Amino acid sequence: MAKGRKNGLYSGISEELSALMRTGWADTERHDLPLDAQAPYAARRREALSAHFPGERLVIPSGSLKVRSNDDTYPFRPYTGYVHLTGDQARDCALVLEPRPDGGHDAHCYQLPRDGRDTDEFWIGYTAELWMGRRRSLAESEQVLGLSCRDVRTAAQDLAAAPGVPTRIVRGVDPALEAAVTTDADRDAELEEALSGLRLVKDAWEIGEMRKAVDSTVRGFTDCVGELSRAVASSERWIEGTFFRRARLEGNAVGYGSICAAGEHATIMHWTDNDGPVRPGELLLLDAGVETHSLYSADVTRTLPIGGTFTPVQRTVYDAVYEAQEAGIAAVKPGAAYRDFHVAAQRYLAEKLVEWGFIEGPADRAYELGLQRRFTMAGTGHMLGLDVHDCAEARNEEYVDGVLEPGMVLTVEPGLYFQPDDLTVPEEWRGIGVRIEDDLLVTADGNENLSAGLPRSADEVEAWMARTAG
């Protein structure tokens, strides 16, 4: 039985209460559930993974609840590789690919079944169904996922019962399953590389989800501009809350902590405190993305003049970042090196910084030495998908040193950041941070800007704000 609270108000359960709780429940088993739309795509992804590891058992857990404090847990988010291969988002699960003699695999999914009504487990404790909500039964999950499903409470025993089968497991997700198998750290890392690599090129279903995420994000940005006056009257947190409302209304949540950085906070790459003032005359750097119900995330940034109009210095910086992004976007096409868009944007910004006298030229030398990084800080983009920094464990040869292919989705996000205490730039430049970020789909003949629904050029941004800002 689940452990009760040390200082709970009830000291125990009477036999009469226990008997009462176990009776009078309707049969709620659901029959003829439709197959999830993602299931056929997930099956093909499993086949692709299978081809990488013939003759080996593969274990991909979903993960467990993490305690925030006492009996309060963080919102659960399953391991990305598990979601990609199953379409499922349940906790305490594991996908297992068992090797066949022909080199292929049989897939089954270990899941936590519903709590029975013949013990007190279904209503005692904060993970019980009456506390956290109804789970699918194993039979229901089989209908939805198109996968054979088994009771996860036997998973560790089942895995340990076949010690001679070469096994790989994703580490750091489920300690109990890790303890049940004998594996090698390097070989397990290769499994995680393969899982990331599988996500580099999105299938048609995934691209549809990316479009949903970006479209909701566009609406979220519009919401924020429409409520700028209320942010001026309160703080950055009004912007954060406004975007979060859209994300929860149309998706699962935000894909990452929203960056709602006004004034000099815009010079901090990952400002997520979002507790500063929003003042006309300064800039607001808004970096946010909606995560869909299927967990695919957008990642978009716009830098907005809070008062509706850029000052001359703000526009100078903004235009430079815009032109750098234009150069980067033009470099996104099939067959191009992944690094090309980064190189194009960074070279342009190095030229501008030399022109302004902030770094020593010539521009080619400044770029080769990386001098522009004092003001550009980060790389110019990343892969995007189920994770906001998707495919992060993929092999370098496939990702950062690889070649772009149709179906890849990535961000292009150059920026310039002049720190408020940087004495190498004129005072009027200090505290200005500008980033422009869009989500690009590589197509057969170039790219499609999925977030083109948001204005980008300075004139377009000012006109949009004049129409929209409250």
Side-chain angles (χ1 to χ4, degrees), residues 439-457:
D439 301 343
L440 301 187
L441 168 66
V442 182
T443 62
D445 56 359
N447 68 71
E448 177 187 350
N449 185 348
L450 300 179
S451 45
L454 286 176
R456 284 195 302 124
S457 74

Side-chain angles (χ1 to χ4, degrees), residues 7-80:
N7 291 296
L9 293 174
Y10 293 109
S11 59
I13 302 170
S14 69
E15 291 184 6
E16 291 78 7
L17 174 59
S18 178
L20 175 65
M21 290 300 297
R22 299 186 199 189
T23 60
W25 300 102
D27 180 4
T28 61
E29 182 74 9
R30 298 166 182 171
H31 303 281
D32 302 320
L33 290 174
L35 183 70
D36 187 85
Q38 187 178 183
Y41 296 93
R44 287 194 284 273
R45 298 167 201 159
R46 294 193 296 272
E47 290 174 2
L49 180 65
S50 171
H52 282 284
F53 302 105
E56 300 184 68
R57 175 200 280 150
L58 309 176
V59 183
I60 301 96
S62 72
S64 306
L65 293 171
K66 289 182 172 58
V67 174
R68 184 175 184 267
S69 65
N70 300 317
D71 56 1
D72 181 33
T73 62
Y74 289 102
F76 176 69
R77 195 192 191 277
Y79 170 65
T80 297

Side-chain angles (χ1 to χ4, degrees), residues 86-378:
T86 64
D88 185 49
Q89 298 179 31
R91 64 180 174 91
D92 298 311
C93 300
L95 173 69
V96 176
L97 300 186
E98 290 285 357
R100 297 194 308 260
D102 65 2
H105 290 81
D106 292 320
H108 54 266
C109 192
Y110 282 100
Q111 297 227 326
L112 190 62
R114 296 198 63 206
D115 288 336
R117 298 300 188 259
D118 55 346
T119 74
D120 293 320
E121 295 293 330
F122 76 98
W123 71 281
I124 293 295
Y126 69 92
T127 62
E129 279 197 8
L130 286 196
W131 287 76
M132 297 195 72
R134 186 189 189 278
R135 296 191 293 270
R136 285 196 304 246
S137 70
L138 298 182
E140 290 169 347
S141 286
E142 288 187 343
Q143 295 177 65
V144 172
L145 303 179
L147 269 170
S148 169
C149 292
R150 304 177 183 181
D151 190 334
V152 74
R153 293 171 296 186
T154 71
Q157 178 182 337
D158 293 349
L159 294 173
V165 180
T167 300
R168 299 178 192 250
I169 189 170
V170 177
R171 297 195 173 201
V173 180
D174 192 317
L177 293 184
E178 279 185 54
V181 296
T182 301
T183 63
D184 174 84
D186 291 338
R187 295 175 65 253
D188 290 345
E190 290 173 354
L191 171 59
E192 194 159 10
E193 281 183 346
L195 292 171
S196 270
L198 284 177
R199 301 198 302 275
L200 283 168
V201 176
K202 272 59 179 176
D203 57 39
W205 189 90
E206 292 179 285
I207 292 170
E209 292 302 294
M210 295 302 303
R211 292 187 188 281
K212 291 178 187 176
V214 173
D215 290 348
S216 289
T217 298
V218 168
R219 288 188 284 273
F221 272 68
T222 303
D223 294 341
C224 291
V225 172
E227 299 205 11
L228 262 180
S229 62
R230 303 185 76 170
V232 170
S234 53
S235 75
E236 295 164 342
R237 292 198 173 175
W238 192 273
I239 300 295
E240 180 182 6
T242 299
F243 188 84
F244 183 76
R245 182 177 64 236
R246 176 66 64 174
R248 288 293 284 161
L249 178 67
E250 297 190 1
N252 178 59
V254 290
Y256 53 96
S258 299
I259 299 169
C260 308
E264 65 183 40
H265 289 161
T267 67
I268 301 172
M269 291 296 298
H270 289 162
W271 173 258
T272 55
D273 287 355
N274 299 335
D275 59 359
V278 179
R279 294 181 286 239
E282 297 182 336
L283 298 176
L284 169 69
L285 190 156
L286 177 57
D287 184 337
V290 171
E291 178 184 76
T292 64
H293 294 292
S294 61
L295 305 187
Y296 286 80
S297 180
D299 182 6
V300 177
T301 305
R302 289 295 183 268
T303 304
L304 312 171
I306 296 167
T309 305
F310 292 100
T311 68
V313 173
Q314 289 170 352
R315 181 178 274 262
T316 296
V317 178
Y318 190 94
D319 287 346
V321 174
Y322 173 77
E323 292 299 332
Q325 194 199 30
E326 286 281 270
I329 290 173
V332 175
K333 53 191 173 184
Y338 173 82
R339 292 179 182 271
D340 284 355
F341 75 91
H342 166 74
V343 172
Q346 291 291 309
R347 281 190 178 279
Y348 184 86
L349 292 177
E351 291 172 3
K352 297 304 291 185
L353 290 163
V354 169
E355 176 187 321
W356 295 332
F358 297 165
I359 58 176
E360 184 179 345
D364 285 345
R365 173 185 175 276
Y367 173 78
E368 294 302 326
L369 294 175
L371 302 184
Q372 82 284 353
R373 293 178 62 184
R374 178 181 176 100
F375 305 103
T376 65
M377 300 284 287

